[in-house]
Amino acid sequence: AMLDPESGLSLTIARIVQRLKGSSLHSQLERQARVSLHKPEIKLESLKEDIKDFLKTSGWEKKLQNAVYSELNVFPSPCHPAAPPEHMKEPLAYMRKAQGSWEKRILKSLNSMCTELSIPLAQKRPVSEQKELLNKWNEMGTDEPDLSLFRPVYARKDFLEVLMNLRNPNYENGEQPSFRNHLGLIQVPLKVKDIPELKEDFSELGLNIGQLGIDDSAQVPPEFFENEHVRVGQKVLAEQDSAAAQQYVRQGCPTALRADLWALILNISNQPEDILYYEQLKSNVIQHDLLVDSLIYKDVKLTASNDDYYFVFEDYLYQVLLCFSRDTSVLEHFTYSSATPPKSYIRGKLGMEEYAVFYPPNVNYNSFILSVAPLCFLYHEPSKLYQIFREMYVRFFFRLHSISSHPSGIVSLCLLFETLLQTHLPQLFYHLREIGAQPLRISFKWMVRAFSGYLATDQLLLLWDRILGYNSLEILAVLAAAVFAFRAVNLMEVTSLAAAEAVLADLSTLKVMPLLQIFLFATVT
């Protein structure tokens, strides 16, 4: 049920006030207000106004604005008060059901691995092992444990299979006229955008607008744009305004400013309490051994150590992912995610809540690793790197691993990709379909990993600038379609899935921004 704008707004305000009340920002603001009472410029007769002015001039008002902006970006707009809570997680019942059975399947796989290997999901580490882990915390990559018995909890193609089998029970096959002509693998009728709508949404990527990541723009000499853009970026940072930073990065981030701009957009300031929180997670890793630890270990070994760009960050990856698997604050995002975290208990403590361990519901750490690795280029301080990753996860990346109808969810991205290809490159689409090389079978892995591990790092960061700038993952589907458009001539000549995959095997030389611009703004619609 839709809310009228006014009651929607008051519900949003009430929710944000509620959420900020318990935060450290709230106690800092109270403390500042009390301190200000002793200042001579604060008069009793105009107390409220004077304190407001003080908070404004001392920069605290800006911090509050950023916190509110951050809440608005992360949490969905409120449901009707009468709507059941699961509607906030996912409004479509058949999507909730599919996500539920997918989670059961993952948990079953985890449990059967525990039984086979006779190890618990979670147990306390012996003291000697705790000491050893603490000593080698910064060089975990040197370990070579035998993990041959551990297997991935699910393969990417299993997940694609589940998405391909999704159906809306309200439509018998072919009943929905507008959808009947969709010949892709995704068979659920969700509303996705067409090119005119995407052009409007991504208007800052237009051909006559300066962009970082485009070397030969006819309109603006690149070096002139770059110098000016850096100057504006420094000003945005000096202002410390999250909303301005988000608008700014739509044209790309200068390399030297990227780490600070992303942190400003995500409202991460790495306060002493954040560093303390990270240390607590670390001590939890040291004290408890989770089954997931071995899976993370195996995945990092398989993924990062074989990657030319990322192998140098192996130790960071263990630290971030092991801490992430212990972080209960991540559970908050399950109020607006279709997923529900499975829970298990430390051995011998079944049912005692303080011994509960929540399993991140996507135990496919492989794609996690690739979403942490690029951040290692920007952040070298573990607690800050950790917070940035966690925030990127709860804003964006979780949507790539859970089944939902959200426009940035993986189902919508797959459907958007297929629709763009079928509409704008119909010959290519039909040709690939005829030879048994459905395009989504190739592009799915790019989207699920947000292109990490496929693009060159500088290009990947330019793409992620835009994810942050538009607060949306839709650009992943647009880029995937643009890659097919770019290689269309070669793809028209292939006669098998393997040959099509070979044409698209190496994306490391691609330039993201020209591809996106040409596809969005030079395609005849």
Side-chain angles (χ1 to χ4, degrees):
M2 290 305 289
L3 283 165
D4 62 276
E6 231 161 76
S7 50
L9 182 64
S10 57
L11 268 175
T12 303
I13 293 170
R15 190 188 63 204
I16 290 178
V17 168
Q18 189 52 45
R19 286 185 44 80
L20 292 178
K21 259 196 177 136
S23 69
S24 64
L25 177 64
H26 183 244
S27 46
Q28 286 172 323
L29 283 168
E30 280 190 331
R31 198 163 49 241
Q32 289 298 323
R34 275 199 298 276
V35 167
S36 74
L37 294 175
H38 304 296
K39 295 194 174 298
E41 63 270 24
I42 307 278
K43 307 277 185 286
L44 201 55
E45 55 275 17
S46 52
L47 187 63
K48 200 171 173 182
E49 290 314 308
D50 289 354
I51 290 182
K52 269 189 188 166
D53 287 343
F54 166 73
L55 291 174
K56 197 179 204 139
T57 51
S58 58
W60 284 96
E61 187 189 49
K62 198 48 109 354
K63 287 193 168 83
L64 180 60
Q65 277 174 1
N66 289 345
V68 169
Y69 189 67
S70 175
E71 291 291 326
L72 287 172
N73 263 326
V74 176
F75 284 89
S77 32
C79 296
H80 195 283
E86 63 268 21
H87 276 224
M88 186 162 166
K89 289 173 81 61
E90 164 56 57
L92 300 179
Y94 74 94
M95 290 277 187
R96 288 199 299 270
K97 195 172 158 197
Q99 174 64 24
S101 55
W102 174 241
E103 283 165 15
K104 281 198 188 93
R105 189 172 149 184
I106 290 177
L107 203 53
K108 193 173 165 193
S109 168
L110 268 177
N111 284 328
S112 68
M113 198 166 4
C114 290
T115 315
E116 272 169 49
L117 305 175
S118 64
I119 45 177
L121 273 171
Q123 61 186 347
K124 211 164 167 62
R125 293 186 204 272
V127 175
S128 58
E129 202 183 299
Q130 292 187 28
K131 278 190 180 144
E132 194 190 342
L133 182 56
L134 191 56
N135 289 335
K136 58 168 199 225
W137 180 255
N138 290 319
E139 46 210 48
M140 284 187 264
T142 53
D143 249 24
E144 294 288 344
D146 175 22
L147 298 171
S148 52
L149 296 170
F150 290 91
R151 55 171 193 277
V153 181
Y154 68 89
R156 200 168 38 229
K157 60 177 192 304
D158 302 335
F159 189 40
L160 177 56
E161 242 12 79
V162 170
L163 303 186
M164 283 162 48
N165 290 320
L166 285 172
R167 294 290 180 277
N168 181 339
N170 302 337
Y171 295 114
E172 279 314 306
N173 276 350
E175 256 186 33
Q176 198 194 7
S178 64
F179 197 71
R180 198 183 304 147
N181 341 343
H182 184 74
L183 299 172
L185 298 175
I186 300 295
Q187 290 296 318
V188 284
L190 297 175
K191 166 95 182 76
V192 293
K193 293 174 181 160
D194 56 20
I195 283 195
E197 290 171 294
L198 291 166
K199 273 184 177 162
E200 200 173 312
D201 282 358
F202 296 116
S203 59
E204 292 85 352
L205 306 184
L207 297 168
N208 51 359
I209 290 178
Q211 295 293 329
L212 289 187
I214 295 213
D215 304 329
D216 46 1
S217 159
Q219 268 61 33
V220 190
E223 55 286 354
F224 171 74
F225 168 70
E226 236 164 88
N227 297 338
E228 181 55 17
H229 195 55
V230 169
R231 203 181 58 75
V232 175
Q234 287 162 336
K235 205 170 153 198
V236 167
L237 281 174
E239 285 289 311
Q240 281 299 298
D241 182 328
S242 299
Q246 189 168 32
Q247 180 62 41
Y248 172 85
V249 303
R250 293 176 175 190
Q251 289 169 273
C253 272
T255 311
L257 307 180
R258 184 175 277 119
D260 290 338
L261 283 163
W262 285 16
L264 177 55
I265 294 168
L266 299 169
N267 201 28
I268 300 290
S269 51
N270 208 25
Q271 299 290 324
E273 64 265 26
D274 300 316
I275 297 168
L276 184 67
Y277 184 71
Y278 175 76
E279 289 301 323
Q280 286 167 340
L281 293 174
K282 175 177 161 180
S283 76
N284 192 325
V285 175
I286 298 223
Q287 288 167 28
H288 297 108
D289 184 8
L290 306 190
L291 167 74
V292 174
D293 298 352
S294 300
L295 298 174
I296 290 175
Y297 220 92
K298 184 161 186 170
D299 267 339
V300 171
K301 280 273 175 248
L302 287 173
T303 311
S305 34
N306 296 327
D307 187 294
D308 297 346
Y309 292 117
Y310 298 154
F311 73 95
V312 288
F313 300 127
E314 202 182 338
D315 298 320
Y316 275 152
L317 297 173
Y318 292 123
Q319 293 171 13
V320 168
L321 292 168
L322 289 169
C323 287
F324 186 70
S325 66
R326 278 34 178 209
D327 191 345
T328 49
S329 77
V330 175
L331 299 174
E332 264 196 346
H333 97 277
F334 292 110
T335 53
Y336 58 91
S337 153
S338 61
T340 305
K343 188 196 301 189
S344 83
Y345 294 88
I346 301 281
R347 185 181 254 175
K349 305 285 184 187
L350 187 66
M352 294 162 75
E353 283 309 305
E354 64 273 32
Y355 292 101
V357 179
F358 286 93
Y359 270 74
N362 20 0
V363 200
N364 183 354
Y365 287 99
N366 181 306
S367 2
F368 269 12
I369 290 162
L370 288 167
S371 42
V372 181
L375 302 173
C376 299
F377 283 101
L378 302 180
Y379 304 98
H380 308 298
E381 206 270 301
S383 74
K384 184 144 193 198
L385 168 66
Y386 178 73
Q387 290 170 65
I388 297 278
F389 166 66
R390 183 180 66 190
E391 196 59 28
M392 291 287 278
Y393 175 80
V394 300
R395 286 195 190 199
F396 305 114
F397 297 140
F398 80 91
R399 299 201 183 279
L400 298 174
H401 311 278
S402 44
I403 301 169
S404 79
S405 59
H406 191 279
S408 278
I410 190 65
V411 185
S412 296
L413 297 183
C414 291
L415 187 56
L416 175 58
F417 163 76
E418 291 192 321
T419 311
L420 286 172
L421 270 195
Q422 191 180 333
T423 315
H424 298 286
L425 295 160
Q427 277 178 299
L428 176 64
F429 185 83
Y430 292 121
H431 167 66
L432 292 173
R433 192 170 166 268
E434 286 306 296
I435 61 165
Q438 274 277 17
L440 184 61
R441 289 200 184 276
I442 300 171
S443 67
F444 185 67
K445 57 182 178 292
W446 306 337
M447 295 191 288
V448 157
R449 290 174 163 189
F451 280 91
S452 177
Y454 298 106
L455 296 171
T457 307
D458 63 323
Q459 296 301 309
L460 183 73
L461 295 173
L462 286 165
L463 175 67
W464 286 14
D465 284 340
R466 277 66 181 195
I467 290 177
L468 283 156
Y470 291 100
N471 198 36
S472 155
L473 292 166
E474 287 162 309
I475 201 156
L476 298 176
V478 180
L479 179 60
V483 171
F484 273 76
F486 181 63
R487 299 261 164 98
V489 175
N490 305 49
L491 287 169
M492 285 303 288
E493 290 169 7
V494 302
T495 52
S496 68
L497 174 61
E501 280 179 328
V503 169
L504 295 164
D506 181 11
L507 308 186
S508 65
T509 56
L510 294 183
K511 296 273 186 254
V512 166
M513 295 319 297
L515 281 187
L516 284 169
Q517 271 196 340
I518 290 165
F519 186 76
L520 280 175
F521 295 93
T523 301
V524 181
T525 49

